[in-house]
């Protein structure tokens, strides 16, 4: 009995279960090399994109970041204000703003994207800073790199489980996949636009939420997790998919990406089911994805507009003749990275070549899907297509694929490149084990060196592209070289050249050669409207190109005192606007007015009064004209015309500044109310009128 009592008091001896080979191979020390790759990826990304932190605003930034009144009202982003009427785009004394999508409820118009700009204003002040905005974009890219690493790490653990002895050898090599893919993605040039171009942030935001949702989704398949954790993971994946859609509508397909990345796991999960049942399950999933896609197309202005355009006369051939070449061209350019963004001339492919293109895309999709069930890394190829096809608001435009829309597809390309390097390493390692078990062959240095060499090449290209964003002329020049018959590209290049001409001219530099180059680009943009590349454009964008091109041509001629030519170009620009496709430009009208003589000024005046009957600027111009005819003698009728410019705040529209200043100065010199006249003189100073001109007005005011 005593012995039994002693046994009861003695603590039981626990014999630990033997540790599996997989578990031994996955100690903490085994995770440091992949983490080192992640750290290298983050550092490389920062170095490659550092020049973009010095860049300014670019292209659509003016509309979406600088001028959108909604981002000055953070309360509009609260749930109980989602459907409130946004602030009016009408500005006292200014031309009406035009911002695409402004008429939609805020919750339906890329809500989180707009919210990011509103939060910038809230935390960093009302005056937007391009360096802060670019810093936010770079931070989002770094977050995407980290989240890609985490999501791939979870997927790798699912496909190579620790309790499977057969996966131990594969783990030794493939544990580097998340870090290698993160490194390729970090510096890949095709990821550049959402980092360097502030308005393209929606591409990286949607990608970040999609990858975070995929990270959550992977926990559903970890059976050792508590059911509540897996349920929370499912809910989290759906919430992040919704957030991706809230960044841009083409991320509606995020759930399809989740299913794709884990399709082999789902197939195994239901392996006990009859094969027809499993096929039916996947067919049902595919049907749901197709329905989601159709809903996305129906609710996308651009996608539905493209369908309406083709059905309305352009024909369905653009889907046949253009889309397949674009998808293949992008896939083929993922390694060479020759294009900043995918603008292309009309390829003019023969019918048989288009069929080959469509067949090639279909075969690549089929190959990636079938091979992905045996070698999951091939699913990255299908990922590339899934997130590429619904780009540019659910369908690629026929001649253009914006770089911001290939950001998430580039994740697939990065995984494929990393997989290719590791596949070569694994083959060389396996061959060496047959002859000398345990020996690491020196030959594995070759694919590793090739991989790092490709990363260095990508880093160099990306650095040059990021550096180019400091001078938008460089960006548009590169794009124009790729697609010389693309009218919009040629016009954007000319606009940036014109800005440089104006700045250099103000600095007193010789700009004649630059003017000639700009003029050449403008004529090229007008001529390109009739090219095969632009044949799918509707009349509105074509009219916009012509209107802007004619206006700038007029300014170039006017700056060289070629007023007769300038008058002709301004009239042409105005005639395009009269067609109703584009809004009449205040700048064009003011410039037209400035080159008119006594025989042509009345026509210009009449047009201004017709288009803006209630605005101050046509009346002010009429008052100044009457004052000139009246030999500078002020009358009550003339004063009434000019006082419209006094009743509105100082204009921020550069084209109206001199007109308002002239009207205010004439009023100040004609009225007897000295305090009022001095207040008008102060407004002239606030408008930035040269001091000598203000002094002349002040002298006459004091002389009365």
């Amino acid at each position: 009995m005593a012995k039994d009592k002693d046994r009861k008091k003695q603590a039981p001896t626990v014999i630990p279960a033997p540790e599996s080979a997989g578990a031994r191979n996955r100690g903490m020390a085994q995770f440091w090399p992949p983490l080192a790759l992640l750290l290298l990826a983050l550092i490389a990304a920062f170095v490659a994109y550092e020049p973009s932190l010095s860049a300014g605003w670019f292209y659509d930034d003016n509309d979406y970041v600088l001028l959108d009144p909604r981002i000055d009202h953070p309360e509009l982003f609260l749930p109980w204000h989602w459907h409130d009427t946004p602030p009016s785009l009408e500005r006292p004394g200014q031309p009406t703003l035009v911002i695409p999508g402004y008429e939609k409820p805020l919750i339906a118009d890329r809500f989180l994207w707009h919210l990011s700009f509103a939060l910038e204003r809230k935390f960093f002040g009302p005056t937007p800073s391009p360096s802060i905005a670019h810093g936010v974009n770079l931070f989002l890219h770094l977050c995407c790199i980290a989240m890609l690493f985490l999501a791939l790490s979870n997927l790798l653990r699912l496909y190579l489980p620790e309790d499977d002895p057969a996966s131990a050898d594969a783990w030794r090599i493939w544990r580097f996949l998340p870090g290698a893919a993160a490194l390729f993605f970090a510096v890949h040039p095709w990821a550049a636009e959402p980092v360097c171009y502030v308005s393209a942030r929606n591409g990286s935001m949607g990608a970040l939420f999609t990858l975070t949702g995929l990270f959550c989704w992977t926990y559903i398949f970890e059976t050792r997790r508590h059911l509540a954790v897996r349920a929370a993971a499912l809910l989290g994946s759906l919430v992040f998919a919704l957030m991706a859609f809230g960044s841009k509508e083409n991320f509606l397909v995020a759930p399809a990406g989740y299913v794709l990345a884990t399709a082999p796991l789902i197939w195994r999960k239901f392996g006990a089911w009859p094969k027809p049942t499993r096929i039916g399950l996947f067919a049902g999933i595919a049907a749901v994805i197709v329905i989601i896609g159709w809903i996305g197309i129906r609710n996308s202005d651009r996608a539905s507009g493209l369908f309406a355009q083709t059905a309305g006369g352009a024909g369905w051939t653009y889907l046949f003749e253009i889309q397949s070449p674009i998808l293949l061209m992008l896939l083929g350019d993922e390694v060479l990275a020759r294009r900043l963004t995918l603008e292309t001339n009309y390829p003019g492919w023969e019918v048989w070549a288009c069929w080959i293109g469509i067949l090639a895309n279909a075969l690549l999709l089929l190959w990636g899907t079938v091979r992905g069930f045996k070698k999951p890394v091939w699913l990255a190829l299908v990922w590339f297509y899934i997130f590429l096809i619904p780009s540019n608001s659910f369908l690629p435009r026929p001649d253009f694929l914006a770089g911001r829309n290939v950001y998430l597809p580039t994740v697939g390309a990065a995984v494929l490149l990393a997989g290719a390097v590791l596949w070569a390493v694994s083959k060389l390692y396996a061959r060496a084990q047959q002859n000398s078990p345990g020996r690491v062959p020196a030959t594995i240095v070759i694919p590793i060196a090739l991989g790092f060499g490709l990363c260095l090449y990508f880093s160099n290209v990306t650095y040059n592209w990021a550096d180019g964003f400091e001078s938008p002329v460089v960006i548009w020049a590169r794009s124009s070289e790729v697609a010389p018959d693309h009218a919009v590209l040629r016009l954007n290049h000319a606009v940036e050249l014109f800005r440089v001409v104006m700045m250099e001219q103000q600095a007193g530099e010789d700009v004649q050669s630059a003017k000639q180059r700009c003029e050449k680009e403008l004529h090229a943009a007008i001529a390109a409207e009739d090219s095969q590349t632009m044949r799918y454009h509707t009349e509105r964008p074509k009219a916009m190109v012509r209107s802007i091109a004619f206006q700038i041509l007029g300014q170039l001629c006017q700056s060289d005192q070629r007023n007769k030519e300038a008058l002709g170009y301004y009239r042409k620009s105005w005639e395009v606007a009269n067609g109703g496709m584009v809004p009449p430009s205040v700048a064009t009208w003011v410039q037209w007015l400035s080159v008119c003589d006594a025989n042509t000024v009345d026509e210009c005046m009449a047009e201004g009064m017709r288009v803006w009957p209630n605005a101050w600027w046509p009346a002010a111009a009429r008052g100044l004209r009457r004052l000139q005819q009246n030999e500078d003698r002020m009358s009550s009728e003339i004063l009434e015309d000019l006082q419209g410019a006094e009743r509105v705040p100082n204009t921020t529209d550069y084209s109206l500044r001199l007109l308002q200043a002239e009207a205010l100065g004439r009023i100040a010199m004609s009225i007897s109310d000295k305090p009022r006249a001095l207040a008008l003189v102060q407004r002239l100073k606030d408008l930035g009128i040269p001091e000598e001109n203000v002094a002349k007005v002040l002298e006459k005011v004091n002389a009365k």
Side-chain angles (χ1 to χ4, degrees):
M1 291 291 294
K3 290 182 179 179
D4 289 340
K5 289 180 180 179
D6 290 340
R7 288 192 192 103
K8 289 179 182 178
K9 292 178 182 179
Q10 187 177 0
T13 302
V14 179
I15 302 174
E19 189 178 19
S20 69
R24 285 197 303 273
N25 287 336
R26 301 188 190 188
M28 198 58 200
Q30 295 293 319
F31 281 97
W32 284 115
L35 284 172
L37 276 178
L38 172 61
L39 180 61
L40 178 61
L42 295 172
I43 294 172
F46 184 85
V47 172
Y49 287 108
E50 188 274 334
S52 69
L53 297 176
S54 302
W57 305 113
F58 179 76
Y59 202 40
D60 286 340
D61 292 345
N62 189 60
D63 289 341
Y64 297 120
V65 185
L66 301 180
L67 297 180
D68 191 336
R70 292 173 295 189
I71 63 177
D72 287 320
H73 296 274
E75 69 278 2
L76 290 175
F77 294 88
L78 297 173
W80 47 92
H81 290 292
W82 281 351
H83 294 279
D84 285 5
T85 302
S88 174
L89 290 174
E90 295 285 345
R91 301 173 298 170
Q94 316 297 326
T96 302
L97 285 172
V98 177
I99 298 179
Y102 197 81
E103 70 284 352
K104 294 181 182 179
L106 188 58
I107 188 62
D109 184 31
R110 305 181 184 182
F111 176 81
L112 293 178
W113 178 51
H114 292 297
L115 176 60
S116 72
F117 299 133
L119 291 176
E120 270 184 35
R121 293 280 182 95
K122 181 70 174 177
F123 292 120
F124 299 108
T127 303
S129 168
S131 60
I132 289 174
H134 284 290
V136 171
N137 279 28
L138 180 53
F139 176 73
L140 287 171
H141 182 55
L142 297 178
C143 290
C144 286
I145 295 166
M147 194 49 64
L148 171 61
F149 177 87
L150 294 174
L152 277 177
S153 297
N154 275 11
L155 286 170
L156 194 64
R157 284 194 290 270
L158 292 173
Y159 284 114
L160 297 176
E162 293 182 14
D163 55 3
D164 180 10
S167 69
D169 288 337
W171 175 262
R172 290 172 62 89
I173 305 298
W174 289 96
R175 65 194 169 102
F176 291 99
L177 179 67
L183 180 57
F184 276 112
F185 176 65
V187 295
H188 199 294
W190 275 105
E193 193 173 89
V195 187
C196 302
Y197 174 17
V198 175
S199 294
R201 179 184 299 173
N202 48 26
S204 54
M205 286 181 65
L208 176 60
F209 295 135
T210 300
L211 292 170
T212 307
L214 176 60
F215 174 74
C216 294
W217 176 263
T218 56
Y219 282 100
I220 298 172
F221 298 88
E222 295 193 3
T223 54
R224 291 176 295 180
R225 300 277 180 183
H226 193 278
L227 183 60
V229 173
R230 295 163 68 189
L234 175 61
L235 178 62
S237 66
L238 297 176
V239 168
F240 282 111
L242 184 62
M243 292 174 71
F245 177 71
S247 302
K248 193 174 183 183
E249 56 272 19
N250 55 289
F251 289 102
L252 185 67
V253 295
Y258 304 163
V259 173
L260 166 71
T262 54
L265 299 172
I266 297 172
W267 187 262
R268 293 175 201 168
K269 183 75 175 177
F270 299 100
W273 291 17
K275 194 171 184 179
T277 306
R278 283 185 287 166
I279 293 174
L281 173 66
F282 273 82
I285 292 173
V288 170
I289 292 172
V290 169
I291 291 171
I292 290 173
W294 178 246
I295 293 172
I297 291 172
R298 291 293 300 271
N299 288 278
S300 167
D301 291 340
R302 181 171 290 166
S304 56
L306 286 172
F307 276 115
Q309 180 184 340
T310 54
W316 293 94
T317 53
Y318 93 89
L319 283 171
F320 179 73
E321 295 174 341
I322 300 288
Q323 303 303 334
S324 52
I326 276 191
L327 300 181
L328 287 175
M329 287 169 66
L330 178 58
L331 183 60
D333 200 51
E334 288 291 329
V335 174
L336 300 176
R338 294 165 299 178
R339 302 164 183 267
L340 181 65
T341 187
L342 194 73
E343 306 92 358
T344 176
N345 286 29
Y346 172 69
W349 287 21
E350 297 291 338
V351 172
W352 59 267
C354 293
W355 277 114
I356 290 176
I358 291 174
L359 181 62
N361 285 320
L363 288 175
L364 286 168
L365 270 168
L366 181 62
W367 170 266
T369 303
V370 173
R371 289 293 297 167
F373 276 81
K374 294 183 178 180
K375 302 287 185 182
V377 72
W378 279 107
L379 294 174
L381 179 62
V382 190
W383 177 283
F384 172 85
Y385 274 100
I386 280 183
F387 287 101
L388 177 64
I389 292 173
S391 60
N392 279 300
S393 304
F394 239 88
L395 275 180
R397 283 158 56 182
D399 61 345
F400 176 74
L401 192 58
R404 55 191 170 276
N405 294 316
V406 300
Y407 186 85
L408 191 51
T410 299
V411 165
V415 173
L416 285 175
L417 291 170
V421 171
L422 294 177
W423 173 83
V425 170
S426 66
K427 289 298 181 183
L428 292 171
Y429 181 79
R431 183 176 298 176
Q433 297 311 297
Q434 295 174 357
N435 301 323
S436 304
R439 184 177 68 86
V440 178
T443 51
I444 68 170
V445 173
I446 297 173
I448 293 174
L450 289 174
F452 276 108
L454 187 58
C455 285
L456 285 173
Y457 167 72
F458 284 161
S459 299
N460 181 61
V461 174
T462 300
Y463 184 89
N464 288 331
W465 287 5
D467 185 58
F469 273 86
E470 287 194 74
S471 175
V473 172
V474 176
I475 302 300
W476 296 116
R478 289 172 180 168
S479 298
S480 297
E481 288 173 6
V482 172
D485 288 340
H486 198 296
V488 178
L489 298 180
R490 302 300 291 264
L491 177 65
N492 289 334
H493 185 203
V495 168
E496 295 302 333
L497 283 171
F498 179 70
R499 287 176 181 165
V500 172
V501 165
M502 292 296 101
M503 287 190 294
E504 291 181 351
Q505 188 167 280
Q506 288 178 358
E509 299 179 24
D510 182 12
V511 294
Q512 202 55 42
S513 61
K515 283 183 179 180
Q516 291 172 359
R517 185 182 171 199
C518 180
E519 197 167 338
K520 180 181 177 182
E521 281 296 299
L522 290 166
H523 285 296
I526 295 168
E529 286 294 350
D530 296 325
S531 69
Q532 285 286 352
T533 298
M534 306 304 293
R535 71 189 185 117
Y536 293 112
H537 271 219
T538 59
E539 283 305 312
R540 187 180 182 280
K542 288 183 178 181
M544 185 70 74
V545 169
R546 292 195 301 273
S547 177
I548 296 173
F550 286 137
Q551 179 201 345
I552 298 176
L553 281 168
Q555 288 179 266
L556 288 172
C557 292
Q558 187 177 356
S559 67
D560 287 339
Q561 306 301 317
R562 294 148 53 195
N563 287 353
K564 188 173 181 180
E565 290 180 66
L567 180 64
Y569 283 126
Y570 290 144
R571 273 180 167 161
K572 286 182 180 180
S573 179
W574 191 260
E575 287 168 5
V576 172
N578 267 346
M581 291 293 178
V582 294
S585 166
V586 174
T588 301
W589 180 76
V590 171
Q591 289 154 355
W592 177 16
L593 185 65
S594 67
V595 294
C596 285
D597 56 24
N599 298 322
T600 57
V601 68
D602 290 337
E603 176 193 2
C604 184
M605 290 283 188
E607 284 295 291
M609 295 300 296
R610 179 183 65 82
V611 175
W612 302 291
N614 300 317
W616 64 265
W617 50 89
R622 182 177 61 189
L624 292 172
R625 168 67 173 159
R626 287 174 174 174
L627 191 61
Q628 182 184 22
Q629 291 173 329
N630 205 31
E631 298 179 350
D632 289 345
R633 293 192 299 272
M634 185 68 70
S635 68
S636 59
E637 188 180 42
I638 295 173
L639 185 60
E640 179 59 31
D641 276 345
L642 298 180
Q643 282 176 333
E646 182 185 5
R647 285 190 285 265
V648 297
N650 286 353
T651 183
T652 57
D653 189 291
Y654 184 80
S655 60
L656 292 173
R657 184 176 61 90
L658 293 180
L659 179 61
Q660 186 176 30
E662 179 70 14
L664 296 179
R666 292 290 185 171
I667 296 171
M669 291 185 291
S670 64
I671 60 177
S672 56
D673 185 344
K674 192 167 184 179
R676 177 184 167 194
L678 291 175
L680 292 175
V681 171
Q682 181 58 47
R683 288 185 63 179
L684 293 180
K685 295 178 182 178
D686 296 339
L687 282 166
I689 302 305
E691 290 183 8
E692 57 270 20
N693 294 353
V694 176
K696 290 178 183 178
V697 176
L698 184 59
E699 182 182 351
K700 292 188 178 181
V701 169
N702 289 330
K704 288 187 294 184

